[in-house]
Structures are given as C-alpha cells and as structure tokens.
Amino acid sequence: MAAADRSFAARFREPYLFSEGGISLEIEQEPATDLSREALDTGCTVWPAAIALARLALAPHASPTVAALVCGARVVELGAGTGLAGIACAGAGASAVLLTDLPGRLPLLARNARRNGWVSTLGGTSLGTAGLDWTDVEGNFAADARLREADVTLLIGADLVHDVAQCAPLAECVNLLLHKWPGCQHMIWAQQRHCALAVAELRGLLARDFDFETVGTFEGGAGELLLGRRCGKPRLADDARSGGGLDS
C-alpha cells in the first residue's frame, strides 16, 4: 500500500512492521511536529524509498554488488528519519551504522535503534545516532566524537530531497564528509520523484563526487535505487561553491 493511502494511525501511531531476508524490524513512527513547507518535517514516518533501500540491503539476490558493499561496511545514513534503512544495514552485516538527522529527530531515531538493537548482536554491529545538520557539518563534528571517529566507508540515504532548495546544502555536506572520511568510496541513494527538478539537480551536483548507476526501481518505476562510486579527489566546499554550473 502506498504511503499516501495508509491511515493516519498506520503512518504515525502504529509501529511499521518490516521483514526481509529473515530480518524483522519494528519501526516506531510519530506525528510531525512542524508541517510547514519550509520545515518539510517528513522524517517521522516510513516512506517507500526507505523500505526499498532496506530491502535492497537485505536481499543479496537483488544486487550482489550492494550486498557485498554493505556487509562489513561502516555506514552513515543521512537524513535517517525513522532509521529503517540504516538499521536494515546493521541486519545485513555492516560493521558499524550511525543514523544521522537533525537534533530534533534524534529521540525517535534512538528509540528505533534501541527497539531493534537485537540486530547488532548478529554480527557485532555498532549501532548509534548522531545529530548532523547539513548546513553545519564543522560544528557537528566539533561537538560529537561519534562523527569524528566514524571512519565511514559507505553513505546511504532515502528520499534525501523534496525541494530544489535542499540540493546545494546537501551536496556541499556530502563533499565535506568525503574530506572527513577519505575511506568513503560509495553511496547508495533511494529517491522517489516527489520533485523531478530537485532529483535532477541533486544528482547533477553529487556527480562531481560520485558516478551513479541505477541498480533498481520501486513504486512502479516512480523511484530509483542508485549506487554511486567515488570519482576523483574530493573537492573543497569553497571550490564547489565557486565552480559555476553543473557542467563546470
């Protein structure tokens, strides 16, 4: 059933029950606290992109390449929301998973990490949470040792953008993270086309750091699962801002 067709209770009051590859997760949801367009407070419920990314991580037959990347990886989920995709990576054998989002969303993330903490016992996965504001990466790193010590090898994200205004801050954030975590060589991104212009804009910006290929679709082709491989040397954020248009 599409997210838009689920009842209010199913979307915000009741846990979302997820199962794939022998892993069953119970994901708490809650009503949004700010429904303004500017805030875009949509990270409090499970969306199809997170489900698709979680299934991809836990289904080796769907993409053996992705399964091999996740197993043993040190993962950071960007804009984790409820944390479903990142927690699924823990169940798929990642060695460490850090669920990140704005500080106001961390309580929900922490509850879901605790509720599904049993997945950490499968392979000794370290599962934690940390605040990460895409517009204040340096401040977040200065304040949180979990980010400084993460030594990430894989970035993941589901439904990262819903509006063009989000694209540049996120792309700059990713570039800064690549400088902080030079061992990060891949990114897995699941995105439904809520705003086709925003998706195209972000993919163009991220193409400066990653070569993306489509490894699957979901929602009848309305969403894409993308695997990005690191290309070239990470740029400094100031260089990114002065580089001109997408083709520069």
Side-chain angles (χ1 to χ4, degrees):
M1 181 184 294
D5 297 330
R6 286 155 51 200
S7 68
F8 181 88
R11 290 191 64 194
F12 300 111
R13 298 295 187 194
E14 302 164 357
Y16 180 83
L17 304 180
F18 171 89
S19 183
E20 182 69 40
I23 301 294
S24 295
L25 304 174
E26 190 174 274
I27 303 297
E28 183 179 338
Q29 307 174 102
E30 63 184 11
T33 56
D34 189 340
L35 296 178
S36 67
R37 179 173 175 78
E38 290 75 18
L40 289 168
D41 193 0
T42 56
C44 52
T45 186
V46 173
W47 292 91
I51 298 169
L53 183 47
R55 293 199 188 287
L56 184 69
L58 288 166
H61 62 276
S63 175
T65 299
V66 168
L69 286 175
V70 172
C71 187
R74 296 181 295 276
V75 179
V76 156
E77 182 176 6
L78 301 171
T82 63
L84 171 58
I87 295 169
C89 286
S95 64
V97 176
L98 191 61
L99 310 171
T100 70
D101 211 317
L102 293 169
R105 294 177 182 159
L106 293 184
L108 177 61
L109 272 178
R111 291 196 299 274
N112 278 327
R114 288 194 300 270
R115 183 185 290 243
N116 298 282
W118 67 269
V119 298
S120 299
T121 67
L122 296 177
T125 305
S126 168
L127 178 60
T129 65
L132 182 60
D133 183 334
W134 298 343
T135 65
D136 189 21
V137 174
E138 295 292 353
N140 293 152
F141 267 72
D144 197 330
R146 289 168 296 186
L147 292 170
R148 296 193 301 273
E149 298 168 0
D151 193 20
V152 173
T153 61
L154 174 65
L155 293 176
I156 67 169
D159 268 349
L160 289 172
V161 291
H162 297 78
D163 190 274
V164 172
Q166 298 171 300
C167 297
L170 174 55
E172 186 170 309
C173 169
V174 168
N175 182 252
L176 283 168
L177 294 177
L178 294 180
H179 282 278
K180 303 289 188 183
W181 300 320
C184 183
Q185 295 296 314
H186 295 89
M187 179 174 182
I188 304 171
W189 172 27
Q191 181 69 48
Q192 197 165 352
R193 300 185 191 93
H194 307 284
C195 174
L197 183 60
V199 176
E201 176 81 0
L202 181 60
R203 186 166 181 175
L205 290 169
L206 291 178
R208 292 170 163 176
D209 293 311
F210 290 100
D211 288 323
F212 283 101
E213 64 171 305
T214 300
V215 293
T217 61
F218 59 97
E219 290 291 287
E224 272 188 292
L225 290 156
L226 299 162
L227 171 61
R229 293 179 172 83
R230 182 89 160 267
C231 57
K233 182 179 179 181
R235 302 161 294 102
L236 291 173
D238 287 342
D239 294 338
R241 283 193 292 269
S242 63
L246 295 181
D247 297 325
S248 62

